[in-house]
Every structure is written in C-alpha cells, then in structure tokens.
Amino acid sequence: MKKTNPFLVLLFISLFSQNISAQNEAWKKAATEKKQDRLAWWLNDRFGMFIHWGLYSLPARHEWIQNMESIAPDVYEEKYFNLFNPDLYNPDEWAKMAKKAGMKYVVITTKHHEGFSLWDTKFSDFNAAKTPYKKDILKMFVDACRKEGLKIGFYFSLIDWHDKNFTIDGIHPLRNNAAAKEDNKNRDMGKYRTFVKNQVRELLTNYGKIDLLFWDFSYPGNDGKGKDEWDSEGLVKMVRSLQPDIVMNDRLDLMEDKWGWDYKTPEQFMPNTWPEHNGEKVPWETCQTFSGSWGYHRDENTWKSTNQLIAMLIETVSKGGNLLLNVGPTARGNFDYRAIERLQQIGDWMTFNSKSIYGCTAAPEKFQAPKNTFLTYNKETNRLYIHLLQYPFKTLYLPGFKGQVKYAQFLHDNSEIKYRESAAAKASEHMAITAGADDLIMDLPVVKPNTEIPVIELILN
Ligand code: GLC
C-alpha cells in the first residue's frame, strides 16, 4: 500500500481553508460595496407600513403578553392556536390602505417571539395553515402587496419561545420557572440554528423577490443571546446568496461589521439628530406605533393624533431617516378603526405634499429652520421644503435665506408666495417690520391653507 505524504496532506488542508476564507472575504466585500446601491429605493421611498400580526391578536393586550404574564408556551398554544380564524382578513384592502397612505413598502411579521409562523412552513406545525383558517396568510399578503406595487419586507424574530430547542433565557416566558429552566440541558441551540436557517431559506425561496429583511433582535450577554447564539454571520451569508439585493436591518449583533447591517432602527423614540455610527451618519429608520404596543391592543388609549404622525414622518425625513409606521390587525383580520382613520388622513396629506417626503433628506447645513418648522430637501431638484407645524400669522422670517431663493410656492396647490429680501421702510415706525439683514421675509395668507401641515416649496438658486 502506498503511504500518503503527511506534508502533502497538510498543504492540501491549508490551501483548502485559504480558499474557503477567500470566498468568505469575497461575499463580505461585495455585501459592503453594494450597500449604497441596494439601499437606493429605500432611501428614496422613506415611508413604510409595519404589520404585527400573530396569535397575540386574540388576547389583544400586547404582543409580549406571553412574557409579561409568564404564560408557558404549551398553555399559550393550547388556548389560542385553535381559535385563530381571521374571517375578515382581506390583504387587498390592507395593501390598498398602505398605498393610499403614501407608504411604499410593507414589513410584516412572518413570525414574532411567540414562534407562530404566518406561512405554511414545513419546519413547524405551529403555523397559520394548520389553524382553523387553514391558509398561508403570508402568501396571500405578498400577492396583494405586489399587485399594488409595494415593496415587500419580512420581519423575522430570532427569538422563538415556542421552539423546544430554544434555551430559556432572561426574557423567556419560563424564566422564573426553576423546573423548566432545568430542561435547558436538553435544549439544543445548534438544532435551533438549523431550524432558523431552514425557515429563513423557505421564506427567501418560496415568495419571489423579497426587498427587505427585518431581524428582531439580539440581547447578548448574561442570560441573553447574540451573534454566536444565532450564527448571525452564517445567516447573512445565506441571505446574501439567496437574495443578493435584499436590504437588512441592524439587529443581528453585527454592528462592527460593515457587511452585517444596512440601516439602524431606533424604536419608539425620535432621535435628536441624524443617528451616527463610529462618527459617521448612517442610513436609519425609526419604527413607531399608533398607540404603544405593536400587536393589536384593545384597551390602549394612547393613540397619537394624525397631526403628530404626519409631523413624525416629516421630522424623520428632516433628519435623513425613514418611518415605518405599525398597524396591529385584530384577530378577525381587520385594521382597528382608529388606524384606518389615521391612515386615510395621512393619505390626504400625502396626496398633496408627498414631494417633500419622497427622495428628500435633511436640508444642507447652511439652512437654519425657521421657528416651528421642519426642513426637508430634494437634492435632485434642488428644492427646499418648509413644513409649518404651527401656522404663523402673516409673516414668516427665514433666517439667513437672503439670495438663496428663486421662487416660492405652497406645495399643495402650487400657489405663489411673495417674499421680500429686506424689510420695506414704512412711513410710520409702529408699522415697520424688522428683520435681520440676511433674512428673507415671506407674506403668508392669514388663513391657514386647508391641509394638516402646510408646506412651502422653495426653488433654490
Ligand atoms: C422589539 C419588540 C417587538 C417589536 C419590535 C419592533 O424589539 O420585541 O415586540 O416587534 O421590536 O421593532
């Protein structure tokens, strides 16, 4: 028998592993370099709808109810799974409402922390098609959104309280149950990682082109889970090979890897300024609710007004970000009447004013926002938008704008707004307007135009 030369074996192993690591580097490099390109549609569109829907719409008191009330997963399943039968579910209506509100993309919870999948997954029976409803809810949703020309985003929870291999950690519903925690030794996160990959592969293979993936979420450290528990790198690598252009958020615990995320996701608060990472302004999206919880919550009475929501959209864009506004449909499959009303009103505003949102970003630094306004700016058209949050009386002072403006009009009706570059002298002192030497003075109608937040469009020099 011939002896194998140990030197050759070693050489082979080292060449083989070098090749693997070069391949690894190649996909990371490509993922980093193409970031701006794949984000182009998303940066332009600015406004999307989030949808949180799952079994938690039945108890109707928060999507974290299982955690908050320490409900064991089997008890939860036993109680709600066979009651899930949303007879009013009409995804065409949902898609139409999103579109009419001016939203350009939708992100739906394919699976939330409870572990219930909205699609007919091969890898778990805890899914919508196995409930009395019997259908693949996700498939219906995707088809409806495509018909309306909306971009499709999938939210996927890395956390799964239902899966028997997912170890009981600090936020698990069984965290205070000592006997159940003992069972951790029988739980196998390796198997869980395979399960997650199988599910994500299914989602990114069977539903056509998916534009966005929203991972949720990492909480590394003691009693938590992060990139090692998820195999975040393996997930990104797989996703990039299945859907190379997909846009991904930042919750995989890979913040220090440029290939590991595309945009930041501040949640339920408004950042003070354009969010940064390592001193650099980054793409970002804030996700917000109408009333506080993400899932349908019957008794929550903290609904934001339409005015607040429109202002929130404008403020977000004025800081270079996107807004993902959430609806939590009821267990029968319809939107809450308050969500419907607000979406319609946002749509009324967007019909006439969306030019100050799409394709817009923060104004160049030399423009200082006049009092009670937010500024947005469209680089392509070189137009600046002044959003009048509090409608002023007759005179609007634009600090330092002198010499910058070619023409001014209201955005909703293209009616000209007259302005002056210096305060005209008046015969009597008590009627003379005073303004700074570099200010521009606009003469507005006394009556506020009939649009929730009036917008002035400035064509710049
Ligand atoms: C979270 C929550 C959650 C919600 C989400 C939206 O971290 O766990 O219930 O789905 O973020 O961003």
Side-chain angles (χ1 to χ4, degrees):
M1 212 170 76
K2 252 198 189 171
K3 260 197 168 174
T4 27
N5 181 339
F7 175 73
L8 282 179
V9 173
L10 275 179
L11 184 72
F12 177 77
I13 293 177
S14 119
L15 286 175
F16 182 72
S17 56
Q18 269 176 31
N19 186 26
I20 295 249
S21 83
Q23 277 174 17
N24 266 339
E25 291 319 306
W27 75 261
K28 287 178 186 169
K29 195 164 169 266
T32 308
E33 284 169 0
K34 294 195 183 127
K35 204 175 203 168
Q36 273 320 104
D37 289 348
R38 64 175 173 266
L39 277 167
W41 68 266
W42 183 87
L43 288 169
N44 178 76
D45 290 356
R46 290 300 185 206
F47 190 26
M49 177 182 277
F50 215 173
I51 296 178
H52 274 67
W53 203 28
L55 293 188
Y56 44 78
S57 60
L58 285 152
R61 46 183 197 274
H62 208 286
E63 77 285 354
W64 273 63
I65 176 198
Q66 222 186 318
N67 157 292
M68 290 165 161
E69 300 179 14
S70 301
I71 306 173
D74 43 349
V75 174
Y76 186 81
E77 175 174 0
E78 167 83 31
K79 192 164 178 193
Y80 300 117
F81 186 74
N82 284 315
L83 288 177
F84 189 75
N85 195 1
D87 57 329
L88 299 179
Y89 175 46
N90 181 348
D92 289 337
E93 258 174 28
W94 291 12
K96 287 202 169 79
M97 282 190 271
K99 189 173 178 183
K100 272 191 123 178
M103 292 151 158
K104 297 277 197 184
Y105 60 105
V106 283
V107 182
I108 187 165
T109 52
T110 59
K111 176 171 96 167
H112 203 262
H113 312 335
E114 63 179 5
F116 176 71
S117 304
L118 285 190
W119 78 101
D120 191 5
T121 170
K122 271 205 305 225
F123 302 99
S124 158
D125 282 343
F126 195 46
N127 80 62
K130 301 285 185 303
T131 64
Y133 190 64
K134 293 202 177 88
K135 291 180 217 151
D136 186 325
I137 283 186
L138 189 66
K139 167 100 181 54
M140 296 162 73
F141 177 80
V142 168
D143 291 346
C145 293
R146 288 228 173 89
K147 254 196 276 166
E148 292 301 325
L150 297 162
K151 290 245 172 11
I152 315 255
F154 285 169
Y155 163 110
F156 184 87
S157 173
L158 295 156
I159 301 162
D160 187 325
W161 295 328
H162 182 265
D163 187 81
K164 291 271 189 283
N165 282 311
F166 186 90
T167 51
I168 297 166
D169 55 29
I171 60 170
H172 195 281
L174 295 173
R175 65 198 172 282
N176 298 321
N177 181 330
K181 274 195 109 167
E182 261 297 287
D183 182 49
N184 266 348
K185 55 181 184 303
N186 301 315
R187 294 177 174 241
D188 182 343
M189 282 299 286
K191 285 194 184 143
Y192 178 70
R193 283 189 282 277
T194 305
F195 168 59
V196 166
K197 288 205 183 93
N198 286 335
Q199 282 211 314
V200 174
R201 190 178 307 107
E202 210 174 32
L203 284 170
L204 300 186
T205 309
N206 297 347
Y207 297 87
K209 182 171 192 291
I210 303 306
D211 303 289
L212 183 150
L213 191 53
F214 191 114
W215 302 100
D216 199 32
F217 65 81
S218 299
Y219 46 112
N222 249 351
D223 234 8
K225 291 184 173 69
K227 59 182 170 196
D228 297 335
E229 284 74 18
W230 315 132
D231 181 21
S232 296
E233 179 167 340
L235 283 171
V236 176
K237 186 177 180 189
M238 182 184 85
V239 170
R240 287 268 161 254
S241 75
L242 294 170
Q243 301 262 357
D245 298 329
I246 205 165
V247 164
M248 277 189 270
N249 75 338
D250 63 339
R251 297 193 183 171
L252 278 168
D253 184 25
L254 292 172
M255 280 318 280
E256 294 319 313
D257 300 295
K258 288 203 165 142
W259 47 267
W261 59 282
D262 291 325
Y263 65 95
K264 266 193 166 186
T265 53
E267 173 179 323
Q268 300 262 37
F269 73 95
M270 178 59 69
N272 190 22
T273 52
W274 188 324
E276 299 187 354
H277 184 71
N278 293 337
E280 234 179 85
K281 287 188 172 123
V282 293
W284 67 283
E285 173 191 75
T286 181
C287 43
Q288 303 280 358
T289 59
F290 281 112
S291 64
S293 71
W294 300 88
Y296 175 62
H297 196 311
R298 183 192 57 210
D299 301 335
E300 216 163 42
N301 282 312
T302 44
W303 285 68
K304 297 164 187 80
S305 69
T306 300
N307 188 285
Q308 274 178 309
L309 294 163
I310 296 174
M312 181 191 271
L313 172 63
I314 300 164
E315 181 167 6
T316 304
V317 178
S318 82
K319 294 170 183 173
N322 283 26
L323 173 64
L324 191 62
L325 184 58
N326 179 74
V327 180
T330 73
R332 295 199 60 190
N334 59 312
F335 284 5
D336 184 284
Y337 68 97
R338 287 158 292 190
I340 294 177
E341 185 188 83
R342 283 161 178 77
L343 288 170
Q344 265 164 4
Q345 291 167 349
I346 294 171
D348 291 343
W349 185 83
M350 286 292 277
T351 302
F352 295 100
N353 298 292
S354 63
K355 282 189 206 165
S356 75
I357 301 294
Y358 304 139
C360 289
T361 186
E365 266 165 30
K366 64 178 174 186
F367 294 107
Q368 189 199 324
K371 275 188 204 127
N372 300 318
T373 71
F374 289 131
L375 300 181
T376 65
Y377 174 66
N378 187 319
K379 270 189 208 149
E380 297 274 306
T381 60
N382 194 28
R383 293 182 185 205
L384 187 81
Y385 297 98
I386 308 177
H387 302 80
L388 305 173
L389 303 170
Q390 171 65 51
Y391 192 70
F393 165 59
K394 231 165 66 177
T395 316
L396 180 69
Y397 298 93
L398 307 186
F401 279 48
K402 189 172 174 174
Q404 311 276 358
V405 178
K406 191 150 68 189
Y407 188 78
Q409 58 186 356
F410 274 122
L411 183 56
H412 66 281
D413 66 354
N414 279 7
S415 62
E416 182 176 7
I417 298 174
K418 294 183 79 175
Y419 57 88
R420 286 166 281 147
E421 296 214 322
S422 66
K426 282 258 160 74
S428 40
E429 172 72 25
H430 65 285
M431 290 178 84
I433 288 177
T434 48
D438 294 326
D439 299 350
L440 201 134
I441 304 154
M442 301 211 121
D443 298 316
L444 300 182
V446 171
V447 177
K448 179 191 163 201
N450 187 26
T451 182
E452 189 64 45
I453 297 180
V455 185
I456 296 172
E457 182 178 50
L458 299 183
I459 303 178
L460 298 178
N461 279 324

